[in-house]
């Protein structure tokens, strides 16, 4: 059985973006409670660890000094900072009490997971609070304040490691792509709903890297209403070949579940079946693996999906009926989806043709994908 760990504690859901914001702290609390109800942390092969807060020097591995100071100052209500200069304001990125603390804890959780993996203590470590893939070096974006993925990849590069980043969130992993767009030491792969239909409006096939990094940024944009069948097929056409070619020392994955057909912010039509098929394949191609959470805004789906992902990481099989202790609090149900979205044949055909076209263009642009 694989040695695995989850880095999670109540520090990570102590503060939130506001009552009406989609990124609800409850997402993490419920994931913890469901994993605990399944006794996922018991036994010698699985560990639960509390995170720590990232230090300023660790945040500066990716973010600018000005931005780190601004986030701290805005979080504490200090004067002298203009929120809009750092993309804070009403909507996606509000300023809120405890903002700096919670964002630093999320990065610290990812760093804790990274330390466990790079030291050899575990084969895979999962930080559900992470995956804040939109944040830039000097501004917030898409609910993301500090980019934990970019920070931990920089920390691994400093150790001389080759890193592959695989992002299956419904939104393009634009902040991570931009962070490593000019290097051949990091392979970034993002599979997402096309930027023609959804935030952040990027992630097109033509975005392949710059300079020595050309060919090391890979984007597979998909059409709305892409279902399990097309998504898994498209993943198989691209990701295994790239990971085999790149031969990373460590794979960092962003496991957002906003691809789910019930998610309110995306338009893809995955179920837990398609999601777990992809997570299982990421595991197969990861010599060492740091898994981050990411998006997912239907609170009934997120804990189930991430519990299933951790079951794959630990090679456990959890009963389908939700545990009584969890069901009493949140309502009965099953761990796995047993209903699939109904999609008209013509719409499914459009989604498949869109994916096929994207893959054909990728093969023209990415040498590693050519036969």
């Amino acid at each position: 059985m694989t040695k695995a760990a989850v880095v999670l504690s109540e520090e990570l859901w102590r503060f939130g973006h506001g009552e009406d914001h989609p990124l609800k702290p409850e997402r993490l609390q419920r994931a913890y409670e469901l994993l605990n109800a399944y006794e996922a942390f018991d036994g010698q092969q699985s560990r639960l660890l509390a995170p720590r807060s990232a230090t300023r020097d660790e945040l500066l591995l990716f973010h600018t000094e000005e931005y780190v100071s601004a986030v701290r100052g805005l979080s504490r209500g200090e004067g002298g900072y203009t929120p809009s200069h750092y993309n804070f304001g009403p909507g996606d990125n509000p300023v809120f009490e405890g903002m700096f603390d919670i964002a630093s804890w999320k990065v610290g959780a990812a760093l804790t997971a990274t330390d466990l993996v790079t030291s050899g203590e575990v084969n895979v470590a999962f930080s559900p609070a992470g995956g804040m893939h939109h944040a830039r070096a000097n501004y917030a974006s898409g609910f993301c304040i500090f980019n934990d993925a970019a920070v931990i990849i920089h920390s691994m590069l400093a150790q001389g490691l080759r890193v592959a980043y695989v992002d299956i969130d419904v939104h393009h992993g634009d902040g991570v792509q931009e962070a490593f767009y000019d290097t051949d030491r990091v392979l970034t792969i993002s599979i997402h709903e096309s930027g023609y239909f959804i935030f952040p409006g990027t992630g097109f096939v033509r975005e392949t890297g710059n300079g020595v990094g050309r060919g090391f940024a890979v984007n597979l944009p998909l059409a709305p209403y892409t279902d399990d069948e097309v998504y898994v097929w498209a993943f198989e056409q691209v990701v295994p070949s790239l990971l085999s070619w790149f031969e990373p020392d460590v794979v960092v994955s962003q496991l957002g579940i906003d691809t789910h057909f019930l998610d309110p912010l995306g338009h893809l039509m995955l179920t837990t079946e398609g999601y777990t098929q992809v997570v299982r394949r990421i595991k197969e191609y990861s010599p060492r693996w740091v898994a981050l959470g990411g998006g997912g805004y239907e609170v009934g789906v997120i804990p189930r999906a991430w519990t299933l992902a951790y079951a794959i990481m630990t090679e456990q099989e959890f009963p389908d009926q939700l545990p009584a202790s969890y069901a009493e609090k949140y309502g009965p149900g099953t761990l796995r989806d047993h209903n699939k979205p109904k999609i008209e044949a013509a719409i499914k055909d459009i989604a498949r043709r869109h994916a096929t076209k994207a893959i054909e263009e990728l093969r023209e642009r990415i040498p590693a994908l050519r036969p």
Side-chain angles (χ1 to χ4, degrees), residues 10 15 38 115 127 184 233 301-302 314 330 345:
E10 63 184 21
F15 300 106
Y38 273 116
D115 290 343
S127 175
D184 58 1
W233 172 80
V301 171
I302 298 153
T314 55
Y330 297 112

Side-chain angles (χ1 to χ4, degrees), residues 116-136:
L116 289 166
V117 169
T118 57
S119 68
E121 290 186 53
V122 300
N123 295 329
V124 54
F126 183 26
S127 175
M132 302 291 101
H133 59 170
H134 296 306
R136 299 307 207 279

Side-chain angles (χ1 to χ4, degrees), residues 347-358:
I347 294 176
K348 289 186 68 169
D349 185 59
I350 291 171
R352 179 173 285 278
R353 284 191 280 116
H354 190 285
T356 301
K357 182 179 178 182

Side-chain angles (χ1 to χ4, degrees), residues 146-364:
F146 293 140
N147 193 321
D148 58 301
V151 169
I152 66 171
I153 292 172
H154 274 296
S155 75
M156 286 186 269
L157 292 179
Q159 299 176 53
L161 299 172
R162 280 171 74 82
V163 183
Y165 173 77
V166 181
D167 190 321
I168 61 171
D169 196 277
V170 79
H171 302 98
H172 175 225
D174 56 338
V176 182
Q177 173 180 289
E178 182 179 291
F180 305 104
Y181 207 60
D182 302 317
T183 181
D184 58 1
R185 295 184 59 201
V186 180
L187 171 68
T188 62
I189 308 170
S190 181
I191 305 173
H192 48 266
E193 185 175 343
S194 172
Y196 285 124
F197 307 103
I198 199 171
F199 177 89
T202 56
F204 300 105
V205 173
R206 64 179 177 269
E207 300 166 31
T208 61
N210 187 51
V212 297
R214 189 171 300 280
F216 291 83
V218 181
N219 290 288
L220 179 52
L222 300 172
Y225 306 105
T226 296
D227 64 1
D228 286 349
E229 181 183 356
V230 172
Y231 189 100
V232 174
W233 172 80
F235 178 96
E236 291 291 342
Q237 301 306 303
V238 174
V239 179
S241 295
L242 287 172
L243 293 180
S244 295
W245 161 76
F246 187 70
E247 296 183 336
D249 298 306
V250 182
V251 171
V252 175
S253 66
Q254 203 270 23
L255 301 181
I257 184 55
D258 39 8
T259 52
H260 194 273
F261 73 96
L262 293 177
D263 197 272
L265 298 190
H267 312 100
L268 299 190
M269 295 285 118
L270 268 66
T271 69
T272 56
E273 180 182 350
Y275 179 77
T276 53
Q277 284 184 57
V278 168
V279 173
R280 190 171 289 107
R281 291 292 275 165
I282 293 173
K283 179 181 186 295
E284 290 174 11
Y285 283 88
S286 299
R288 288 181 281 179
W289 183 15
V290 178
L292 308 173
Y297 306 98
E298 172 50 59
V299 294
V301 171
I302 298 153
R304 296 191 295 113
W306 286 347
T307 295
L308 286 166
Y310 193 63
I312 291 167
M313 295 174 198
T314 55
E315 300 176 6
Q316 298 183 73
E317 186 71 25
F318 296 139
D320 195 40
Q321 201 67 32
L322 294 178
S325 60
Y326 185 87
E328 287 170 8
K329 187 172 182 178
Y330 297 112
T334 58
L335 183 60
R336 300 160 186 84
D337 290 329
H338 294 281
N339 295 312
K340 291 191 174 185
K342 293 180 173 59
I343 306 171
E344 294 180 11
I347 294 176
K348 289 186 68 169
D349 185 59
I350 291 171
R352 179 173 285 278
R353 284 191 280 116
H354 190 285
T356 301
K357 182 179 178 182
I359 291 164
E360 290 173 350
E361 186 179 346
L362 269 177
R363 287 176 176 152
E364 293 176 2

